[in-house]
Amino acid sequence: MRHARDGATAAMNAASRVLVARGKHEPQEAEDPDVHWGQRAREGAWAPTKDGQRIHIGIDCSAGDQAPTLVRPSLRVFVGAEVDTDIVAQTTAGGVRLLTVLHGPDAPTEFRFPVQLPDGLVLEGMPSGGFDVVHLRYGATVGRFYSPWAADVMARPVKADYQLEGSTIIMRVQHENSYYPVVADPLYTR
């Protein structure tokens, strides 16, 4: 347990350093009774939409059956989700944030987040590089995956983008020649 707790602390500290260095208003961790987390990384979270439905956001990683280090009900850390990679998962007001912390050059460059949508909702690509969750009948946006960003420990931008494969969002992070840790941020909110 001590190893997982130490790894969780290191991941949270790395994410915090990068967020502070970005100097922008970032979504804050918050309790939201409409967000429900699974018991394992692969199970991810069930998050609300504006029309009262839920979407499921999974974390497809090599340690998918791993249980998180639970820091608070609104903050959990998946230590070693991938090689040289931890995921700091936060509940935010109306959504979830999956801060992906890459600790070195051996970390992968692609991260997969399978999304399950209720009938009548679809993912629609946006010019910003993110995805809106759109209600087909009304054409209304009921949720949003904001375009990803990534930054290294020196607050230098690192190229990150999304690609959609079926209903899986793939976040690509080109972190070569970066100063580690690098933090990338998939963020969903209703």
Side-chain angles (χ1 to χ4, degrees):
M1 182 70 166
R2 180 168 165 70
H3 172 70
R5 189 62 71 178
D6 291 346
T9 300
M12 289 184 318
N13 287 340
S16 293
R17 281 194 310 269
V18 171
L19 290 174
V20 168
R22 280 176 49 89
K24 296 181 180 179
H25 297 288
E26 297 291 334
Q28 298 298 306
E29 174 191 345
E31 290 192 38
D32 185 333
D34 293 331
V35 173
H36 299 282
W37 290 93
Q39 298 296 313
R40 306 277 180 231
R42 188 174 323 281
E43 295 169 4
W46 289 263
T49 62
K50 287 181 184 177
D51 66 344
Q53 299 188 70
R54 288 188 191 284
I55 69 167
H56 177 251
I57 306 162
I59 303 170
D60 185 5
C61 58
S62 61
D65 290 329
Q66 174 188 7
T69 300
L70 187 62
V71 180
R72 293 182 285 279
S74 56
L75 181 66
R76 61 206 68 241
V77 182
F78 296 98
V79 177
E82 289 288 353
V83 173
D84 276 347
T85 305
D86 302 321
I87 295 179
V88 179
Q90 296 178 329
T91 302
T92 62
V96 297
R97 186 175 204 179
L98 299 167
L99 291 160
T100 307
V101 182
L102 292 68
H103 294 286
D106 293 333
T109 57
E110 291 189 352
F111 302 91
R112 302 173 72 79
F113 302 96
V115 178
Q116 294 176 354
L117 301 168
D119 287 341
L121 299 183
V122 295
L123 288 174
E124 186 174 304
M126 294 289 106
S128 66
F131 293 98
D132 279 1
V133 178
V134 176
H135 192 288
L136 284 173
R137 182 172 181 192
Y138 301 110
T141 297
V142 297
R144 176 168 289 146
F145 287 91
Y146 287 88
S147 57
W149 61 262
D152 68 14
V153 74
M154 303 299 286
R156 295 183 322 170
V158 174
K159 184 172 173 39
D161 62 12
Y162 285 147
Q163 178 181 12
L164 191 61
E165 184 178 285
S167 63
T168 297
I169 295 176
I170 301 170
M171 179 178 67
R172 300 180 301 186
V173 182
Q174 297 177 17
H175 59 89
E176 62 280 345
N177 301 318
S178 297
Y179 292 100
Y180 296 94
V182 168
V183 177
D185 183 31
L187 169 66
Y188 167 81
T189 191
R190 64 175 153 202

